[in-house]
Amino acid sequence: MKVKVIPVLEDNYMYLVIEEHTREAVAVDVAVPKRLLEIVGREGVSLTTVLTTHHHWDHARGNAELARLRPGLAVMGADERICALTRRLAHGEELRFGAIHVRCLQTPGHTSGHMSYFLWEDECPDPPALFSGDALSVAGCGWCLEGTALQMYQSLAETLGTLPPETKVFCGHEHTLSNLEFAQKVEPCNDHVQAKLCWAKVQPLLPFLRGGWEGTGLPGAVRQGRVVTRACGRSRRGMRMTCPRYHPLWARKPCPRVSLPSSAVTEKLRKVSGDDLLG
């Protein structure tokens, strides 16, 4: 399984997942279809399916144009508001693309119909992958816009938090620095947060491991080591992940966005707000 990371818009990521034996490809969260098709052509693969995590325009606005340009394309997701949807998915449903298995995980909170996608290959040494959209990001999570705080907690702690710790997470936005800066303001004495903030300022950030960063009180962990190395992709031990040529998003000034944190961080917020659902 090969994953192409495609930065688009201001800080979004869309993805192209390639089954390397059949050369079938699946796209995740298509925001800029022509950019996606450039990568599809360059890779010489057959794009058959789009998996959309949620209906927001920066994750789904390219579906209609892509479906027009590629007749017969399957557009899948859990929310009927997703543009050009051809098949509505349910929690726990499993899909198959060649050797790639996909398990659909309902993760409400950011939106009521948010779906994350857990991918793996049988008899493959590569670790599994999670495409988490705006449910889980590096050192944070998406705004709780339509769901409740309890739903968001269940999505993070019970649904995504029980995935194998070696899972590589591909999130929907580059908000790592702003998430960590916020965490540092909430817990200024947390040495783990300070160390990761210093590290994140000089390191490429995707993908990150689900099980790590003990002591930060944050969901997931940034993967150690340089994974995205240069604009043209490189191979590395485990899942191969490459990134097309672009100006690195992590070099830009982070957007002043506050993400809903978890664990020890939200415990402090819970005490302030009195919201028992956050703890």
Side-chain angles (χ1 to χ4, degrees), residues 72-179:
L73 183 74
V75 178
M76 303 183 186
D79 196 324
E80 62 185 8
R81 295 172 293 180
I82 292 172
C83 184
L85 188 70
T86 63
R87 177 177 170 182
R88 191 170 181 181
L89 301 171
H91 177 70
E93 187 171 351
E94 293 196 1
L95 311 171
R96 187 77 178 266
F97 302 97
I100 300 175
H101 297 262
V102 180
R103 180 174 299 147
C104 305
L105 301 174
Q106 193 89 35
T107 47
H110 180 62
T111 67
S112 59
H114 195 288
M115 184 74 82
S116 298
Y117 301 99
F118 179 68
L119 280 65
W120 76 96
E121 288 182 304
D122 290 331
E123 300 179 358
C124 178
D126 295 347
L130 174 73
F131 295 87
S132 60
D134 286 356
L136 174 66
S137 59
V138 184
C141 58
W143 284 18
C144 192
L145 298 178
E146 295 181 356
T148 66
L150 178 59
Q151 285 180 316
M152 179 66 86
Y153 174 82
Q154 290 172 335
S155 294
L156 295 173
E158 298 175 10
T159 302
L160 302 184
T162 56
L163 294 176
E166 67 272 18
T167 301
K168 291 184 179 180
V169 180
F170 297 85
C171 53
H173 289 272
E174 181 47 67
H175 289 155
T176 306
L177 291 178
S178 57
N179 285 343

Side-chain angles (χ1 to χ4, degrees), residues 13 15 18 21 33 71 75 111 140-141 186 188 197-198 240 271-272:
Y13 290 118
Y15 300 97
I18 300 171
H21 297 291
V75 178
T111 67
C141 58
V186 176
L197 179 59
C198 293
R240 295 202 294 134
K271 292 178 181 179
V272 174

